[in-house]
Amino acid sequence: MTTMLPPEERTGIPGGTLITKTPEEGRQLAMLIARHTIHQIQPDLDVLKAGRPDYTSDARALTAAGQVVAIEFQTIAAANNYWR
Amino acid sequence: MTTMLPPEERTGIPGGTLITKTPEEGRQLAMLIARHTIHQIQPDLDVLKAGRPDYTSDARALTAAGQVVAIEFQTIAAANNYWR
Amino acid sequence: MTTMLPPEERTGIPGGTLITKTPEEGRQLAMLIARHTIHQIQPDLDVLKAGRPDYTSDARALTAAGQVVAIEFQTIAAANNYWR
Amino acid sequence: MTTMLPPEERTGIPGGTLITKTPEEGRQLAMLIARHTIHQIQPDLDVLKAGRPDYTSDARALTAAGQVVAIEFQTIAAANNYWR
Amino acid sequence: MTTMLPPEERTGIPGGTLITKTPEEGRQLAMLIARHTIHQIQPDLDVLKAGRPDYTSDARALTAAGQVVAIEFQTIAAANNYWR
Amino acid sequence: MTTMLPPEERTGIPGGTLITKTPEEGRQLAMLIARHTIHQIQPDLDVLKAGRPDYTSDARALTAAGQVVAIEFQTIAAANNYWR
């Protein structure tokens, strides 16, 4: 039996908008969007949990994850006109 | 005998436009475009299915897939003027 | 004896323009440009064919190819003002 | 017992803004944002420290880290209108 | 004794400008700039030649090279206002 | 005893500005910025030197380095309005 992630963990754009009040909230949204994309491709929580310890103790894998967040944040920052 | 994906699974831009009503639909389109590119290069469903279990249980491969979706989404978000 | 790709398979920008009528044609152009770059670096058809089966049955390699197409498409979509 | 990074090491956007006085400060912010993303995914200092010697003596891993900083800096530089 | 590449093979921007008459010339410039960057880091022709056969028969390495050309071309295409 | 790189080799943005007179100088700055980021993460010259021979004779590692320079150059080229 597999434990599927609930639908709210698989929304593409949590909150339904790219507009945020602050850069900090924008960054959190970038992280969330990146994570939910993974959830959409692999919604089985057990598989995700099994991979996590190895993944989060590998500097190269963490760097790759950081790169995805950086790209999502570029989009969000542009959407918010850089909170200027 | 190979099972080829039907043409509608190999359209480059499903729906024929980058314009969507909501960020959520834009995100779904990004995912779809990313997936259809793979389908265009490898249209044999059996080969795709054979690779899927290994691929979707590997955090590094999932991260790489997430990066492609992030890049496609940048284009779609810009096309929609970020749904501002 | 090697089988070299003909010159038309090695054009950098097939058609000589980034402007296309539809997003779908733009996507096809992105795929073509990505492929021709490979042809320019490695114009020996036999070498390309030899690598193809392994490459197109590896989800990670397909993801990397999809990423290149995504980047080329960003440029083409911007050139066409996103076909708005 | 694990040593968790303090909250200030896990802020998404240290200082709460993308605007900096100089390109040099913008670059430092890019580095900091890249690092804090890693901290958010892996807040256990011991795990991070354990991976560091191997990681920082591997040219390929350093290059990957440099790429993330480059992407974050693109966003910050655009936010600051390139300090023109 | 090493055979160093001549200075003209190590210019950062051959021709000294990003402006080209056609997209095709822009693409050639992107390829050239990508190649010259490699030449600047590794100017020893013998080392470059030694690595070439392995590199150009590996679909994954060719894909990575294609990605760099795609990024350089983004810059050149923007510089030329997409030759619109 | 380790040989640390001097502070001027660890400046984030050498010269303190993204504005350059020519594309060639812009390209040199991109290379320098990419290199200094590595220096900031790993300031021990001996470690850097130890990794260099292996790294600079590996086409894949050189390609990855070229990609970082390409991204830094995008930023610099935009900052200089492409030296139009």
Side-chain angles (χ1 to χ4, degrees):
Chain A
M1 234 195 77
T2 60
T3 318
M4 299 303 274
L5 283 161
E8 67 267 25
E9 285 287 320
R10 288 183 275 161
T11 325
I13 308 294
T17 176
L18 300 179
I19 308 306
T20 69
K21 260 182 286 185
T22 62
E24 184 66 29
E25 286 178 36
R27 192 72 188 182
Q28 285 170 15
L29 182 58
M31 179 76 89
L32 220 53
I33 289 174
R35 195 167 281 160
H36 282 211
T37 308
I38 305 297
H39 293 178
Q40 291 182 332
I41 307 175
Q42 178 51 273
D44 184 332
L45 187 60
D46 297 329
V47 175
L48 290 171
K49 272 190 178 168
R52 201 169 156 83
D54 165 56
Y55 165 67
T56 56
S57 61
D58 172 8
R60 286 159 196 82
L62 288 169
T63 301
Q67 193 180 349
V68 179
V69 178
I71 296 170
E72 302 289 7
F73 186 65
Q74 275 196 328
T75 309
I76 294 166
N80 287 280
N81 207 20
Y82 305 100
W83 302 275
R84 272 190 208 123
Chain B
M1 233 195 79
T2 59
T3 317
M4 299 302 275
L5 283 162
E8 67 267 26
E9 285 286 321
R10 288 183 275 161
T11 325
I13 308 294
T17 176
L18 300 179
I19 308 306
T20 70
K21 261 181 286 185
T22 63
E24 184 66 29
E25 287 178 36
R27 192 72 190 182
Q28 285 170 16
L29 182 57
M31 179 75 89
L32 220 54
I33 289 174
R35 196 168 279 160
H36 282 211
T37 308
I38 305 298
H39 293 178
Q40 292 182 331
I41 306 175
Q42 177 50 274
D44 184 334
L45 187 59
D46 297 329
V47 175
L48 290 171
K49 272 189 178 168
R52 202 170 155 80
D54 165 56
Y55 165 67
T56 55
S57 61
D58 172 9
R60 285 158 196 83
L62 288 169
T63 302
Q67 193 180 350
V68 180
V69 178
I71 296 170
E72 302 289 8
F73 186 64
Q74 276 196 329
T75 309
I76 294 167
N80 287 280
N81 207 19
Y82 306 99
W83 301 274
R84 271 189 209 124
Chain C
M1 233 195 79
T2 59
T3 317
M4 299 303 275
L5 284 161
E8 67 266 26
E9 285 285 322
R10 288 183 275 161
T11 325
I13 308 294
T17 176
L18 299 180
I19 308 306
T20 70
K21 261 183 286 187
T22 63
E24 184 67 28
E25 286 178 35
R27 192 73 189 180
Q28 285 170 17
L29 182 57
M31 180 75 89
L32 220 54
I33 289 174
R35 195 168 280 160
H36 282 212
T37 307
I38 305 298
H39 293 178
Q40 292 182 332
I41 306 176
Q42 177 50 274
D44 184 333
L45 188 59
D46 298 328
V47 174
L48 290 170
K49 273 188 178 168
R52 201 169 156 82
D54 165 56
Y55 165 67
T56 56
S57 61
D58 172 9
R60 285 158 196 83
L62 289 168
T63 302
Q67 192 181 351
V68 180
V69 178
I71 296 169
E72 301 288 7
F73 186 65
Q74 275 196 329
T75 309
I76 294 167
N80 287 279
N81 207 18
Y82 305 99
W83 302 274
R84 271 190 209 123
Chain D
M1 232 194 79
T2 59
T3 317
M4 299 303 274
L5 284 161
E8 67 266 26
E9 286 285 321
R10 289 184 275 162
T11 325
I13 310 293
T17 176
L18 299 179
I19 309 305
T20 69
K21 262 183 284 185
T22 62
E24 184 67 29
E25 286 177 36
R27 192 72 188 183
Q28 285 170 16
L29 182 57
M31 179 76 88
L32 220 54
I33 289 174
R35 196 168 281 159
H36 282 211
T37 308
I38 305 298
H39 293 178
Q40 291 182 332
I41 306 175
Q42 179 50 274
D44 185 333
L45 187 60
D46 298 328
V47 175
L48 290 170
K49 273 189 177 168
R52 201 169 155 82
D54 165 57
Y55 164 67
T56 56
S57 60
D58 172 9
R60 285 158 196 82
L62 288 168
T63 301
Q67 192 179 350
V68 180
V69 178
I71 296 170
E72 302 288 7
F73 186 65
Q74 276 196 328
T75 309
I76 294 167
N80 287 279
N81 206 19
Y82 306 100
W83 302 274
R84 272 192 208 123
Chain E
M1 232 194 81
T2 59
T3 317
M4 299 302 274
L5 283 161
E8 66 266 25
E9 285 285 322
R10 288 183 274 161
T11 325
I13 308 294
T17 176
L18 299 180
I19 308 306
T20 70
K21 260 183 286 187
T22 63
E24 184 67 28
E25 287 178 35
R27 193 72 188 181
Q28 285 170 16
L29 181 58
M31 180 76 89
L32 220 54
I33 289 174
R35 196 168 280 160
H36 282 211
T37 307
I38 305 297
H39 293 179
Q40 292 183 331
I41 306 176
Q42 178 50 274
D44 185 334
L45 188 59
D46 297 329
V47 175
L48 290 170
K49 273 189 177 167
R52 200 168 156 84
D54 165 56
Y55 164 66
T56 56
S57 61
D58 172 8
R60 285 159 196 82
L62 288 168
T63 301
Q67 193 180 351
V68 180
V69 178
I71 296 169
E72 301 288 7
F73 185 65
Q74 276 196 330
T75 310
I76 294 167
N80 286 280
N81 207 18
Y82 305 100
W83 302 274
R84 272 191 208 122
Chain F
M1 232 194 80
T2 59
T3 317
M4 300 302 275
L5 284 161
E8 66 267 25
E9 285 285 321
R10 288 183 275 162
T11 324
I13 308 294
T17 176
L18 300 179
I19 308 306
T20 70
K21 261 183 284 186
T22 63
E24 184 66 29
E25 286 177 36
R27 191 73 189 181
Q28 285 170 16
L29 182 58
M31 180 75 88
L32 220 54
I33 288 173
R35 196 168 280 159
H36 282 211
T37 308
I38 305 298
H39 293 179
Q40 291 182 332
I41 306 176
Q42 178 50 274
D44 185 334
L45 187 59
D46 297 328
V47 175
L48 291 170
K49 273 189 177 168
R52 201 168 157 82
D54 166 57
Y55 165 65
T56 56
S57 62
D58 172 8
R60 285 159 196 81
L62 288 168
T63 301
Q67 192 180 349
V68 179
V69 178
I71 296 169
E72 301 289 7
F73 186 65
Q74 276 196 329
T75 310
I76 294 167
N80 287 279
N81 207 19
Y82 305 100
W83 302 274
R84 273 191 207 122

